Amino acid sequence: MGIFDKLRRKPRPGVTRTATSKDTDHLAEWARSRRGVEAYLEPRTNVTHTTVVLVAFDGEWTRRRIENDEAAYHLGKKLGIPVYDTNKVGYPQRMREYTRRKAEEDKRRNA
């Protein structure tokens, strides 16, 4: 094995990336730069790790991995935003409307 072989290796199939400080830094910065942000906790699945979706007042959103449920609630407390469990409350309508508007804008722009 060469000295750089370990760096070139691709991750094994079926192994997903875990949360890093870059993920939580992104979430914190995003939440601080927008108004009316709420967090929606998405549970771990066979395909993905636990994730958090942050949704602003206008429906703009971002999603990143987070270590676990406890880390999501800690982040919410640190940022002063509510954290909801998507299994219990689902996603806000404004998030779906924002995604639809963006898709329509992209379609018009590319036409």
Side-chain angles (χ1 to χ4, degrees):
M1 173 162 42
I3 190 166
F4 295 107
D5 287 348
K6 192 172 189 176
L7 297 175
R8 284 186 222 148
R9 254 191 252 159
K10 292 183 180 179
R12 292 180 298 149
V15 176
T16 58
R17 182 177 70 80
T18 58
T20 66
S21 61
K22 286 183 181 181
D23 294 317
T24 51
D25 291 347
H26 168 80
L27 292 169
E29 180 59 34
W30 196 92
R32 288 185 187 113
S33 65
R34 286 159 179 83
R35 295 183 303 133
V37 176
E38 298 173 329
Y40 291 84
L41 176 64
E42 298 175 316
R44 182 184 178 108
T45 67
N46 289 336
V47 181
T48 62
H49 285 276
T50 304
T51 54
V52 168
V53 177
L54 297 184
V55 182
F57 81 100
D58 63 351
E60 182 183 6
W61 60 274
T62 188
R63 174 183 286 121
R64 291 292 185 275
R65 291 170 184 86
I66 194 130
E67 197 60 38
N68 53 38
D69 295 8
E70 187 178 309
Y73 289 111
H74 176 74
L75 179 66
K77 186 174 182 177
K78 176 180 163 187
L79 297 173
I81 61 174
V83 179
Y84 302 107
D85 184 337
T86 57
N87 283 338
K88 295 179 182 174
V89 301
Y91 297 96
Q93 184 64 35
R94 68 184 184 278
M95 179 182 166
R96 292 196 268 308
E97 290 168 358
Y98 178 85
T99 301
R100 182 185 48 77
R101 282 193 314 268
K102 293 302 275 183
E104 288 173 0
E105 289 172 11
D106 290 346
K107 189 175 182 180
R108 269 185 266 136
R109 200 174 300 126
N110 294 329

